[in-house]
Amino acid sequence: MEHLLEVQRLNIHFGEKAVVENLSFVLPRGKTLAIVGESGSGKSLSALSLLGLLPSNAQISAQKMCFSPLPDLDYELLKLPPTTLQSIRGRAIGMIFQEPMSSLNPLQRCGQQIDEVLRRHLDLNQTQSRKRSLEWLERVKIQDPERIYRAYPHEISGGQKQRVMIAMAMCCHPALLLADEPTTALDATVQKEILLLMQELQTDFNTSILFISHDLSLVAGFADEVLVMHQGKLIESGPVDAIFESPQAAYTKALLHCRPPIDRRVQRLPTIEDYEQEEVTEVLAAEIPKKPSPDALPLLEVEHLSTWFPLRKSWFGQPRAWLKAVQDASFSIKKGQTLGLVGESGSGKTTLGRSILRLIEPSGGQINFAGQNLSKLQPEALRSIRREMQIVFQDPYSSLNPRLPVGLAITEPMKVHGIGVSEQDRVKRAIDLLEQVGLSAEHFQRFPHEFSGGQRQRLCIARALAVQPSLLVCDEAVSSLDVSVQATVLNLLKDLQAKQGLTYLFISHDLAVIRFMCDEVMVMKDGVIVEKGAATQVFEAPVHPYTQALLAASR
């Protein structure tokens, strides 16, 4: 059979709500088909339906869902018994999940989880599986694979978790690879390497790839065909060149142009609403919000900050080796300014951000916020100042209470810090915040598991803004958002900064987002700040070789 996968008239419902409607596509052997669209458009659910991994309350139907791993072997996926489907998962069909933070078993070491896949499907013994696991950790560009092999998921960075998940999905050389946002948490250099690695696997083993992404520009040089989905429906499809050169739908045009350019700094990003209302020219011509004056006082000053973690201990309990996550970092951020922090996963960006807020205790150095030395504050005093310093965490799934409706997750910090004269007032404020980040009042009573990854990230931004902070640490705050919502949220953050004088420490691996948002930029590698300066200077005349490599990989 010419096609590895053929799907006809796929429908997925949750009760009366249709989340995927009449979706049809074919995937030839050795080719890449990209499904692109906003979070909540049905992309991930369509992929999960192929493996029988939809929630138990989902109703699924399809006229045809035929998978042919061999020319003379056909599986009708919806009709397979659970045991047969289980043998196909991981062996004939590999899956890179969108959220490696929640997809990896927190009770097992990373290496054990790759070993398990190899032993189950390839019948390897423990020695063979360990050797193969280490080889795959090297292939996905993980530094010090022995350490990551022994580490638990909570001991490694978000980008490293993503690469472990990629190794698990690819280690059995599957006929079909389902890649659900496989490079979302990765920096530009590793992102490029992972895409090249997937293409190498495709060439070596004639693997077909179903590539799911919210970033249409990412699939430009990777996919053969593109499907554009919106609200569960197929909006546009065709060869990748045709979609890029002459998109027909306004939604597709918006996806192509909502992403910040890296070669210049634009004033504002267009959104889907702008394209639908044909107001793109007006948006791009909007005035740049007023920037802080050169003589503005620093809101945050960090001097010689270091954060080390013990690795091995002697018989007497003293560390014999240290992981130097942050080394001698010094910088300041003026009130109303945005400082960007960029670097590869595992470089220490997140540790630096959390050390500033004392969510991780620094090993040395000094942190001054609004004239107060945070290093010397007692817990009670630190708790009261935390209203002024908020963080949007990298992983929206684990930073939301799964048992708490999202509306209460937003009103709870208001109540703790005495914001709002009544509960009714706090609810109104929470609904306003939901609407500001692209959600609606009907989402107030829903639980985190009822939202997509991108929607959960927007909820975390709304919760951080609920207490009206002065400093907001954004740790990959828009990395899991589709480009259209990303544009809306980035515009929102700029608007809030202009209206309220907010100050941002903006941590990201995405250089295009950093250029759009930031006044100054710091580049971090192996725990050390290797370059810092005005954004224009760093992007147009980088000095350090690592900065030059990052920029080259992003263009």
Side-chain angles (χ1 to χ4, degrees), residues 121-138:
H121 293 295
L122 300 185
D123 199 26
L124 303 181
N125 61 36
Q126 186 172 354
T127 302
Q128 292 170 326
S129 64
R130 185 182 186 279
K131 180 181 177 182
R132 187 77 64 88
S133 296
L134 289 169
E135 289 173 354
W136 271 99
L137 289 175
E138 288 182 3

Side-chain angles (χ1 to χ4, degrees), residues 256-270 275 280 284 288 494 511-518 535-536 539-540 551 555:
L256 279 168
H257 298 112
C258 288
R259 182 165 171 74
I262 195 171
D263 57 344
R264 65 190 188 282
R265 188 177 187 188
V266 297
Q267 301 166 350
R268 198 168 180 81
L269 296 174
Y275 272 88
V280 178
L284 294 177
I288 299 177
K494 279 200 166 187
L511 292 175
V513 170
I514 289 287
R515 177 145 204 187
F516 174 74
M517 285 295 300
C518 301
T536 304
F539 276 88
E540 295 181 3
L551 287 167
R555 291 193 168 103

Side-chain angles (χ1 to χ4, degrees), residues 505-550:
L505 174 61
F506 206 91
I507 302 170
S508 179
H509 64 268
D510 191 329
L511 292 175
V513 170
I514 289 287
R515 177 145 204 187
F516 174 74
M517 285 295 300
C518 301
D519 307 296
E520 296 193 351
V521 177
M522 296 191 303
V523 182
M524 198 167 190
K525 179 174 173 56
D526 298 332
V528 178
I529 296 172
V530 297
E531 185 165 356
K532 59 183 174 181
T536 304
Q537 172 194 330
V538 172
F539 276 88
E540 295 181 3
V543 175
H544 197 276
Y546 177 66
T547 310
Q548 295 168 357
L550 283 178

Side-chain angles (χ1 to χ4, degrees), residues 29 38 47 81 91 94 149 193 214 237 299 316 384 433 498 506 510 541 550:
R29 298 180 189 280
E38 295 180 280
R91 180 64 182 97
Y149 181 92
E193 290 169 352
H214 60 254
S237 65
L299 179 68
F316 303 102
S384 65
L433 284 167
F506 206 91
D510 191 329
L550 283 178

Side-chain angles (χ1 to χ4, degrees), residues 107-117 119 133 149 152:
L107 302 179
Q108 276 192 322
R109 299 179 191 273
C110 295
Q112 291 177 312
Q113 299 187 52
I114 306 174
D115 287 351
E116 184 179 11
V117 176
R119 288 201 300 270
S133 296
Y149 181 92
Y152 289 94

Side-chain angles (χ1 to χ4, degrees), residues 314 468 504:
S314 67
Q468 302 165 342
Y504 298 133

Side-chain angles (χ1 to χ4, degrees), residues 12 27 36 42 73 94 155 179 195 214 224 293 296 395 397 421 425 443 469 476:
I12 303 174
L27 177 54
V36 181
L73 180 61
E155 296 178 306
L195 292 179
H214 60 254
D224 300 294
S293 60
D395 178 14
Y397 188 86
V421 295
D425 182 39
H443 293 120
E476 301 285 3

